Amino acid sequence: AAASCVAAAFATLPMEGGAALLTTLIKLTDSSNPNLRDGAADALRKICEDAAEQLDSDPSRPLDRLVPALTRCFAAPDPHVRVNALCALNALLFLMPPVLAENMDDFLKVLFSLANDSAPEVRRRVCAIVVTVLELRPAALDNFLREVVEYFLAATRDDAEDVALEAAEFWPVLASKDSARDILRENLPRVLAALLSNMVFSEFDRAVLGADDDDHEVPDRPEDVRPHFHHARAVSPGHNVGAAAAAADGGGGASDSEDDDDDEAEEATEWNIRKCSAAGLDSLANALGDELLPILLPILQSSLANEEQWEIREAGVLALGAIAEGCYSGMLPHLSTVIPFLLNLLQDKHFLVRTIACWCLSRYGAWIAAPENESVLSAVVQLLLERILDPNKKVQEAACSAFAGLEEHAGQQLVKYVTPVLHTLVAASQRYQAKGMYILFDAIGTLADNVGAELGRPEHVHVLMPSLISKWNALSDSDPMLIPLLECLTSVFRALGPNAKPFAPPIIERSLRLLDGATVRTQQGDPEPRDYELLACNLDLVSGVFDALGSPETEQLSDSAALRRVLLASMASPRAEVRQSAFALLGTMAGCPSVGFVQGLPEVLKAVVAAINPDYVAVSNNAVWAFGEIVIMFVLGRESGSAAGANAAASFAALKQQVPEALSRLMAIVGRSHLNANLIENAAISIGRLGLVFPDDVAPSLNHFAQGVCMALRNLRDDVEKEQAFLGLCQVIKLNPFGLSNSFLYFCDAVASWKLCKPELEAELVQILHGFKNSMGAAWKGYFDGFPQQLRQTLQDVYKL
């Protein structure tokens, strides 16, 4: 406490006062009084941890005095002083001040004097510093690397587990350094042996995990259930209204089995030597690839064949899964043997072996789901479904998570298995405890995302929906499980399509109530902890209902004043995930607009345009997509005579007012090739759509965006969004053909990306291509000869250029 007070005082003192305090503490580190020396070292540690940047930027360079004082503490008889000095120096290393950078060799030599210290905590801190140096300045270890590797081989097997754990962090960092690959290869057999030895469950781990194989009726403790965080909906180009949507940040809808952690299938409560060693093996596999296999596979074969010690067998399976990504190509010849072996382990008498076998199977999901392995997929599905109903909770969770991962790999191949899958998942919903239910809801949602409309068959709806509705009715508004259930229902509604209609009214009624309550609380500045997640989840659910039912079934919902109020508030939310979901819903509503929605557009357009800001990629992506959906709504409305085309004069005028600002923001996105690809593609589509509705307003800026738009459109698959963007681009080019002069090659490249082009668009493209050719006269041949050969051939064959 006293050291913390001293550190806090240092942060508030003026420079002169801070320097005086630091001088006093440095002197006290040499005191003969052990209490003063210990207190000074403790205070200096906290100052370095809290104010390292302040010390490093001080023009008087106090670190020139402090660092030597800390290194002198290495000789202190009290291990607590040595530990504090090491911690202080580790905090400073992240800034690499000149006094350390310029004297690194001397510093390391002094540091290594503590390598075999009698105090385990000192040895642990030495390991931490070496790992920091290796990460930040690997060249500094070049002269010592062989000795360092030897030291860490021993430290990874240290009797003190904390030391071994810190030492195990060395191997992933070493594997990431190209300059260390040769020495790593030299020592690979010993490194692998050390890591594999540490991957065996310790007695403590086994005690924490328990020995009860049949525990499915034992309720989970609240602290056993990890917090669940919602992934807001993100819209990708090529996904029209009603199509599946992926969530931001590389994750949404993903099962636990997608995570890269090699400790996925186990539940020991904290980071430990086993997990760290598995992560180290994963890193080695990614760094050295198939080079590991000649050494590793014989060891694993011995481990997996161990019938007497299930712990050794289990660790072998963990290792097999850890190398799945890095050694995938080298493992391919072995998988026809490995997968049946893992399937056999799903019947193992020990629940932890069954658990890790489920996880390991998920790591090879891509191979299992390959079309040529249909019989393997069938066997894996059958046995994973059995394990989903295992009497042990950990096996249930691992099997359900593994199956969710397999669903993503197998996709439509699972259609033939939907009946047994649904019966199993529904049966699981009757017996799972809280933690398992989170994973189960994810598996059901992932199934819906991947089999789509197949789930809407009446016989499947009859099996699935009563169970989900029962859960929906049973959960209170404050139940944490409501979030994953909302995510699950969102995916299920999209898959069911019109067959979701009978279930929608009560769900929408409650969803709107939840949205209204959360909105009021957040606007009053008194939100509950889950309010922002509730907002994002329920906005996504409402979006799913619009996707599923379409017009005219959603007109009443679209006209709802309560929904419009919530939507406006959510677009201005301080939380990005809420804004992201709000704009996704707005774009979905534009796909099936009601009179009320169209009339209310002037209120939302400014918010949509203001949100087109690439500093917030996920929010901006959805805002750009929603803006494009609103723009094209007017074209489709006029063509179909729907509500979007009626009583819309004021909204159309409001949209036209926003065109200059929106176009400016969209051009800024397509002109920056380093931005997120989905964002650029959505921006290109929206510019093209603007050109279709407001060609006169867009045409003067063609030369500013033509290249970026064309480069983005060439990467899109052939669909209605790409078609609309090209039609708009053609309208703009016809008004300002000179605007394409510097980007004609990119336009031609984009045109050549079409595989199946509708006659109307093809006629427009031919007109522009030949018009440009004719305008060049005799210069055309030399110009066209400069095009890439494949592009020339395509343009000649398809467009007779």
Side-chain angles (χ1 to χ4, degrees):
S4 297
C5 292
V6 172
F10 177 83
T12 59
L13 287 172
M15 187 176 296
E16 296 80 4
L21 175 58
L22 205 61
T23 298
T24 299
L25 291 173
I26 289 172
K27 287 181 179 178
L28 288 175
T29 60
D30 294 321
S31 171
S32 58
N33 185 321
N35 292 326
L36 291 176
R37 190 169 56 239
D38 186 20
D42 198 4
L44 287 172
R45 168 184 175 174
K46 290 180 171 56
I47 288 173
C48 290
E49 289 175 343
D50 296 343
E53 291 186 5
Q54 179 181 341
L55 291 168
D56 189 40
S57 61
D58 189 328
S60 68
R61 295 185 58 158
L63 292 181
D64 289 357
R65 294 178 292 121
L66 177 56
V67 169
L70 291 171
T71 56
R72 288 196 301 273
C73 288
F74 290 177
D78 185 348
H80 190 246
V81 174
R82 301 198 296 274
V83 168
N84 281 327
L86 289 165
C87 291
L89 286 163
N90 201 23
L92 297 176
L93 273 169
F94 285 96
L95 298 175
M96 198 57 72
V99 65
L100 278 170
E102 294 165 6
N103 301 282
M104 184 57 68
D105 276 7
D106 293 337
F107 168 70
L108 290 173
K109 288 173 183 175
V110 178
L111 176 70
F112 293 151
S113 70
L114 297 178
N116 296 308
D117 195 279
S118 59
E121 185 62 14
V122 172
R123 299 199 301 276
R124 182 169 85 87
R125 298 298 178 176
V126 169
C127 290
I129 286 185
V130 175
V131 170
T132 300
V133 173
L134 179 62
E135 203 157 15
L136 301 179
R137 183 158 296 198
L141 290 172
D142 284 350
N143 296 332
F144 311 96
L145 193 55
R146 197 167 300 279
E147 292 81 3
V148 167
V149 167
E150 287 292 334
Y151 174 73
F152 274 90
L153 279 167
T156 303
R157 295 176 179 268
D158 197 295
D159 291 338
E161 184 170 334
D162 284 350
V163 177
L165 174 57
E166 199 71 56
E169 301 281 4
F170 174 78
W171 305 111
V173 180
L174 186 69
S176 69
K177 307 301 179 184
D178 292 340
S179 59
R181 294 289 167 81
D182 288 341
I183 195 167
L184 189 57
R185 289 184 179 98
E186 291 174 24
N187 292 278
L188 201 51
R190 292 193 296 157
V191 173
L192 291 175
L195 294 177
L196 291 171
S197 174
N198 287 338
M199 287 163 62
V200 179
F201 273 121
S202 68
E203 290 184 14
F204 176 78
D205 289 332
R206 296 198 294 274
V208 170
L209 290 163
D212 188 1
D213 191 62
D214 187 349
D215 66 350
H216 71 279
E217 293 183 353
V218 179
D220 291 330
R221 299 173 303 169
E223 59 267 30
D224 291 334
V225 182
R226 289 181 295 181
H228 178 89
F229 299 102
H230 172 64
H231 295 284
R233 181 189 177 196
V235 186
S236 298
H239 288 68
N240 300 315
V241 174
D249 202 24
S255 71
D256 286 3
S257 61
E258 276 191 312
D259 295 341
D260 288 331
D261 297 344
D262 291 314
D263 53 291
E264 196 75 281
E266 70 199 72
E267 293 304 328
T269 55
E270 59 186 21
W271 187 246
N272 57 30
I273 185 64
R274 167 182 161 88
K275 297 179 181 181
C276 185
S277 297
L281 180 57
D282 186 2
S283 298
L284 287 175
N286 279 291
L288 300 179
D290 297 343
E291 290 183 52
L292 265 63
L293 296 181
I295 301 168
L296 184 61
L297 287 183
I299 303 174
L300 293 187
Q301 286 171 345
S302 175
S303 299
L304 297 171
N306 192 319
E307 296 289 341
E308 302 299 321
Q309 297 174 285
W310 69 263
E311 300 95 332
I312 302 296
R313 198 163 62 251
E314 191 276 348
V317 179
L318 174 59
L320 201 58
I323 65 171
E325 181 181 323
C327 301
Y328 185 76
S329 60
M331 286 298 298
L332 286 175
H334 305 283
L335 291 182
S336 58
T337 303
V338 168
I339 300 303
F341 176 81
L342 292 172
L343 292 176
N344 187 54
L345 289 183
L346 291 181
Q347 313 288 343
D348 196 277
K349 62 183 179 181
H350 202 285
F351 73 92
L352 288 174
V353 177
R354 300 197 300 275
T355 298
I356 201 69
C358 291
W359 171 78
C360 190
L361 280 167
S362 74
R363 296 280 284 178
Y364 293 97
W367 184 86
I368 292 168
E372 64 271 19
N373 295 326
E374 184 177 350
S375 62
V376 178
L377 176 63
S378 178
V380 172
V381 168
Q382 178 184 340
L383 288 172
L384 280 180
L385 291 181
E386 290 180 11
R387 294 283 65 80
I388 284 173
L389 299 178
D390 194 277
N392 181 268
K393 290 190 294 185
K394 290 181 175 60
V395 181
Q396 292 173 356
E397 295 157 10
C400 200
S401 181
F403 191 78
L406 185 62
E407 288 170 337
E408 297 202 333
H409 287 297
Q412 286 289 309
Q413 293 181 78
L414 287 180
V415 165
K416 65 173 73 174
Y417 305 107
V418 168
T419 297
V421 168
L422 285 180
H423 281 284
T424 299
L425 297 182
V426 168
S429 73
Q430 306 305 314
R431 64 192 302 179
Y432 274 20
Q433 300 301 326
K435 190 174 180 183
M437 286 303 304
Y438 280 69
I439 302 171
L440 181 62
F441 286 144
D442 178 65
I444 294 172
T446 306
L447 178 70
D449 291 337
N450 285 280
V451 302
E454 174 67 21
L455 208 61
R457 292 168 66 95
E459 62 269 28
H460 298 328
V461 174
H462 178 73
V463 171
L464 177 62
M465 290 310 293
S467 174
L468 291 181
I469 297 301
S470 174
K471 293 293 182 186
W472 173 260
N473 292 333
L475 295 179
S476 70
D477 290 353
S478 60
D479 196 310
M481 203 177 294
L482 192 61
I483 299 292
L485 179 55
L486 282 163
E487 293 174 334
C488 173
L489 285 169
T490 300
S491 293
V492 168
F493 266 64
R494 288 197 173 101
L496 263 53
N499 290 325
K501 182 179 178 181
F503 311 100
I507 289 179
I508 284 297
E509 180 183 355
R510 183 181 183 186
S511 185
L512 289 177
R513 177 168 54 78
L514 290 168
L515 281 167
D516 191 60
T519 299
V520 169
R521 289 189 295 272
T522 55
Q523 288 181 324
Q524 291 176 346
D526 189 29
E528 295 178 0
R530 297 184 315 128
D531 274 343
Y532 291 112
E533 281 197 287
L534 276 175
L535 282 169
C537 274
N538 280 285
L539 289 167
D540 287 347
L541 177 61
V542 174
S543 182
V545 171
F546 274 96
D547 274 346
L549 303 185
S551 296
E553 303 295 344
T554 55
E555 280 194 17
Q556 185 177 356
L557 177 60
S558 185
D559 284 339
S560 165
L563 179 58
R564 286 205 301 275
R565 183 174 63 252
V566 166
L567 188 58
L568 280 167
S570 296
M571 287 190 292
S573 171
R575 294 287 287 270
E577 68 269 27
V578 177
R579 301 197 304 276
Q580 180 181 344
S581 291
F583 289 120
L585 172 57
L586 179 68
T588 305
M589 292 173 69
C592 41
S594 66
V595 173
F597 174 80
V598 175
Q599 291 177 338
L601 274 180
E603 293 180 275
V604 304
L605 280 168
K606 286 185 179 180
V608 179
V609 173
I612 301 176
N613 176 2
D615 290 341
Y616 299 92
V617 173
V619 176
S620 185
N621 181 65
N622 284 8
V624 169
W625 175 77
F627 182 76
E629 291 294 305
I630 291 170
V631 170
I632 205 66
M633 178 188 73
F634 286 94
V635 174
L636 300 177
R638 291 195 191 103
E639 291 172 350
S640 63
S642 71
N647 303 316
S651 294
F652 188 80
L655 176 59
K656 185 176 176 64
Q657 280 187 327
Q658 294 296 323
V659 170
E661 180 65 19
L663 183 60
S664 173
R665 290 172 177 255
L666 293 170
M667 287 192 302
I669 291 172
V670 298
R672 295 162 66 182
S673 59
H674 66 279
L675 292 177
N676 176 272
N678 282 350
L679 176 59
I680 294 173
E681 289 164 4
N682 270 327
I685 290 169
S686 291
I687 289 175
R689 286 172 161 179
L690 273 177
L692 194 57
V693 180
F694 302 104
D696 291 333
D697 299 271
V698 175
S701 301
L702 176 61
N703 64 308
H704 297 295
F705 66 75
Q707 179 176 326
V709 166
C710 291
M711 289 174 67
L713 294 182
R714 76 172 304 281
N715 295 320
L716 298 181
R717 66 185 183 188
D718 295 356
D719 64 6
V720 66
E721 290 183 333
K722 182 175 179 177
E723 180 186 7
Q724 292 163 352
F726 263 93
L727 286 170
L729 185 59
C730 289
Q731 295 302 311
V732 169
I733 292 170
K734 287 192 289 187
L735 289 175
N736 181 17
F738 293 107
L740 190 63
S741 300
N742 295 326
S743 305
F744 184 70
L745 173 61
Y746 296 96
F747 176 73
C748 291
D749 190 40
V751 169
S753 70
W754 278 98
K755 305 296 186 292
L756 294 171
C757 187
K758 289 185 178 179
E760 177 192 357
L761 175 57
E762 185 174 341
E764 294 279 354
L765 296 175
V766 168
Q767 181 182 349
I768 290 171
L769 292 171
H770 283 267
F772 196 92
K773 173 184 176 180
N774 294 336
S775 71
M776 292 191 69
W780 168 256
K781 185 180 184 306
Y783 175 72
F784 192 54
D785 285 345
F787 280 31
Q789 192 275 332
Q790 184 60 52
L791 176 59
R792 286 203 316 273
Q793 193 65 49
T794 300
L795 294 173
Q796 290 169 343
D797 293 345
V798 179
Y799 298 98
K800 313 305 179 189
L801 197 59

